[in-house]
Amino acid sequence: LLPGITEPRWNIAAAIAYDRYLYDRWSKYISRSQRLSFTLASYNTGFSRTMDARNQAKASGRDPGRWQQVEQYVPLQTKNYVKKIFGLMDESS
């Protein structure tokens, strides 16, 4: 095992770094206002699977740059994960 892998602080730091990586990766495809939703979905189900959902939305005539148009193409678990995180964010404001 890597040093520190069992320590929560390192797991949290790794998750934050990975989230930032995903957020930056989506900057090529998604406007800033929509990017957090796609980042959270990618964290949950993977970048490629989220990109596949985006491509499915586009093929169905939907706007692939708007999460509300793409979310129906991701797994239900991912859709619920994104909603849950936004709900937690709303509660903390």
Side-chain angles (χ1 to χ4, degrees):
L1 287 175
L2 294 172
I5 195 125
T6 58
E7 295 180 41
R9 67 185 175 138
W10 291 112
N11 281 288
I12 292 167
I16 291 168
Y18 186 58
D19 278 340
R20 183 60 196 207
Y21 163 77
L22 290 170
Y23 185 83
D24 290 344
R25 192 167 181 194
W26 279 109
S27 69
K28 291 188 245 179
Y29 309 100
I30 305 297
S31 70
R32 183 176 220 149
S33 67
Q34 295 289 307
R35 209 173 306 155
L36 184 56
S37 297
F38 285 86
T39 298
L40 293 171
S42 296
Y43 183 83
N44 184 262
T45 199
F47 182 86
S48 294
R49 198 158 184 191
T50 306
M51 183 61 86
D52 288 345
R54 185 176 176 270
N55 291 336
Q56 284 180 297
K58 185 176 182 178
S60 297
R62 299 186 179 277
D63 182 349
R66 297 197 48 79
W67 176 247
Q68 295 79 3
Q69 300 285 309
V70 174
E71 68 180 340
Q72 71 185 45
Y73 300 98
V74 298
L76 182 59
Q77 175 188 345
T78 300
K79 184 178 176 179
N80 290 338
Y81 176 80
V82 173
K83 282 184 182 181
K84 181 179 180 179
I85 298 299
F86 275 104
L88 291 169
M89 290 169 59
D90 285 344
E91 286 177 16
S92 68
S93 340

